[in-house]
Amino acid sequence: MSLRIHIAVIFSLLLCAAASADDTPIVSSDLKFVYLIEAPPTPVFKTGINQTGFRLKGQKGIITALHGVAPASIIADKRYLARNGMGHALNSLVLDSIDVNQDLALLTSTELQAAPDDGIELGDYRALKPEEKVYVLGHPGTGATYTKPTTASKNLVQDLETLARDEQLLTNLWNRHSPDPTTPVLWLDGQIGAGQSGSPVVTTEGKVVAVADGGLNPIYSIQWAIPPSAQI
């Protein structure tokens, strides 16, 4: 399967409706589409890398953060494993397409190509209000999914270059070229920890508005997420 690289990102997003009081059952129903991704060992990462990915409605694969799966992808014949909190496993996943600027990747397999295009519905991050409640759905490095409530920052969307007050972090971002520091990101309160890269950030209506990607030095208490494109 050839690797398709998309630099130009096409947004075709749905509108987010107002938050409802009974948001927990709605958000919980998304967990079946959230997977722990196990990247195979490489010479640098000798025990492999674990992170989160999820199925987006209309996509034949699992969306995740590129920076976690890229090391194994450059080695021929490497495959990925994924499993959700209910024990459903996906084997022999391959890197199908990537967006370098947004640090996003799509993993797929023969099974997923033949499966229905089921997954979490796409929402519009532009409809978020400052300090609105959202949820990060991911894996703390184990097989169990979890729901982490957080809030959208007062500043909502800024480019990474503006957010990165840590000079070393900004240098690292420029050096690895993914995500592009000029990319607009959704700014969230709190921190994104190990294993949470690639987690869907969902609204109280259970619609994904961004993909958890990284965080600044803990003293800043800032994390960012990247809105997923409709076509990766």
Side-chain angles (χ1 to χ4, degrees), residues 166 190-192 215-222:
D166 186 309
Q191 287 291 309
I192 290 179
L216 297 178
N217 187 305
I219 64 173
Y220 297 132
S221 190
I222 295 171

Side-chain angles (χ1 to χ4, degrees), residues 152-193:
S153 170
K154 292 180 181 179
N155 296 308
L156 282 181
V157 180
Q158 293 190 28
D159 59 76
L160 270 175
E161 199 168 32
T162 300
L163 289 179
R165 292 171 285 178
D166 186 309
E167 185 175 343
Q168 184 59 52
L169 173 65
L170 184 58
T171 299
N172 291 341
L173 287 172
W174 277 116
N175 288 341
R176 77 181 189 186
H177 307 295
S178 184
D180 187 319
T182 63
T183 297
V185 297
L186 179 64
W187 184 2
L188 303 174
D189 293 329
Q191 287 291 309
I192 290 179

Side-chain angles (χ1 to χ4, degrees), residues 206-217:
K207 294 183 179 180
V208 59
V209 290
V211 182
D213 189 70
L216 297 178
N217 187 305

